[in-house]
């Protein structure tokens, strides 16, 4: 299966794509995680405004296309079935993607802006194993400690309220046209992302199996 999860920051793309990858045996292709693992990589040779991916990420801006396209091309070259999370984020990336693979479906997780801000500012992540929590909606058993591996949880640098607002604006400007791109091509299905994680998952599975 070739699945794309679309949606604003905090919509639940990461949460749902991890589960989908497990359930259907798919490769989880996520540019966000790939870039977070390479925040300090030197990209100055690519003639970019900033010298590292991290500088763009901490400002809530998109990392240059050349950098992310390369990540996705490499990841997809070895993947059979996949769930894409966080890419494409602009029309140029959508065109690169369609030149290398064909999607079965693009699933848009729809969540109100107020809820997105609450989710992102309350998110805590495990620096060791990548598990994700929410201080109110998905708290770990022991406050501040990862259930999976016992490491101390941290907050993502871009999850401050100010940067969250910037990321939402970047989404509206750059990524909403991608939603329309897939709607025009009859690939888009919208799922209510504002129910519990389990209910959102069930709705996505229904779409995939239909
Ligand atoms: P990226 O890592 O992709 O971040 P994002 O798109 O902003 O998405 P998030 O990871 O913040 O949210 P999510 O939708 O995955 O939600 P999650 O499941 O975690 O990108 C980060 C940066 O990298 C970008 O700003 C950019 O700089 C760069 N980048 C990445 N891709 C790029 C590209 N293609 N081109 C250029 N630059 C790129 O859930 C959020 C929280 O809500 C969690 O705490 C979770 O526990 C909670 N939650 C989840 N579901 C529910 C629910 N149903 N009910 C209640 N709480 C829930
Ligand atoms: Zn952990």
């Amino acid at each position: 299966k070739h699945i794309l999860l679309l949606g604003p920051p905090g919509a639940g793309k990461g949460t749902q794509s991890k589960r989908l990858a497990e359930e259907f045996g798919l490769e989880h292709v996520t540019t966000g995680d790939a870039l977070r693992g390479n925040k300090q990589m030197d990209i100055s040779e690519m003639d970019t405004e900033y010298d590292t991916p991290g500088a763009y990420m901490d400002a809530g801006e998109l990392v240059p296309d050349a950098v992310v396209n390369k990540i996705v091309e490499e990841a997809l070259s070895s993947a059979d079935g996949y769930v894409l999370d966080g890419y494409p984020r602009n029309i140029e990336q959508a065109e690169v993607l369609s030149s290398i693979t064909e999607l079965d479906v693009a699933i848009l997780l729809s969540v109100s802006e107020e809820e997105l801000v609450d989710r992102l500012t309350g998110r805590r992540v495990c620096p060791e194993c990548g598990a994700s929590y929410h201080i109110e909606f998905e708290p770990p058993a022991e406050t501040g400690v990862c259930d999976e591996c016992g490491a101390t949880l941290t907050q993502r640098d871009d999850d401050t309220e100010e940067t969250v607002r910037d990321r939402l604006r970047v989404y509206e400007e750059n990524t909403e046209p991608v939603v329309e791109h897939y709607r025009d091509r009859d690939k888009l299905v919208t799922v209510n992302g504002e129910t519990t994680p389990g209910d959102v998952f069930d709705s996505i599975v229904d779409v995939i199996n239909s």
Side-chain angles (χ1 to χ4, degrees), residues 7-18 30-33 35-36 53-54 56-65 68-69 72 85-90 93 109 111 115-116 118-125 132-135 137-138 156 158-159 163 167 170-171 193-200:
K13 303 180 298 293
T15 303
Q16 300 297 335
S17 26
K18 271 183 208 157
T30 154
T31 45
D33 285 357
L35 291 168
R36 264 184 295 283
Y56 292 91
M57 299 169 83
D58 291 348
E61 289 174 31
L62 296 185
V63 174
D65 289 346
V68 278
N69 288 337
V72 171
D85 158 16
Y87 180 100
R89 267 175 141 89
N90 60 30
Q93 293 178 12
L109 300 177
V111 176
E115 168 85 8
L116 295 171
D118 286 349
R119 284 188 186 181
L120 293 173
T121 53
R123 171 166 54 190
R124 296 294 181 273
V125 293
S132 182
Y133 301 88
H134 190 281
I135 50 174
F137 310 138
E138 290 264 30
R156 252 168 65 172
D158 60 349
D159 278 347
T163 307
R167 288 160 62 199
V170 166
Y171 175 82
E194 222 166 304
T195 55
T196 64
D199 285 349
V200 176

Side-chain angles (χ1 to χ4, degrees), residues 125-133 145-153:
V125 293
C126 177
E128 297 299 325
C129 75
S132 182
Y133 301 88
V145 178
C146 181
D147 289 343
E148 311 287 328
C149 74
T152 302
L153 302 178

Side-chain angles (χ1 to χ4, degrees), residues 176-189:
E176 276 179 4
V178 173
V179 173
E180 296 317 311
H181 172 95
Y182 290 116
R183 200 194 305 278
D184 291 345
R185 285 159 184 73
D186 287 327
K187 292 279 187 197
L188 192 79
V189 180

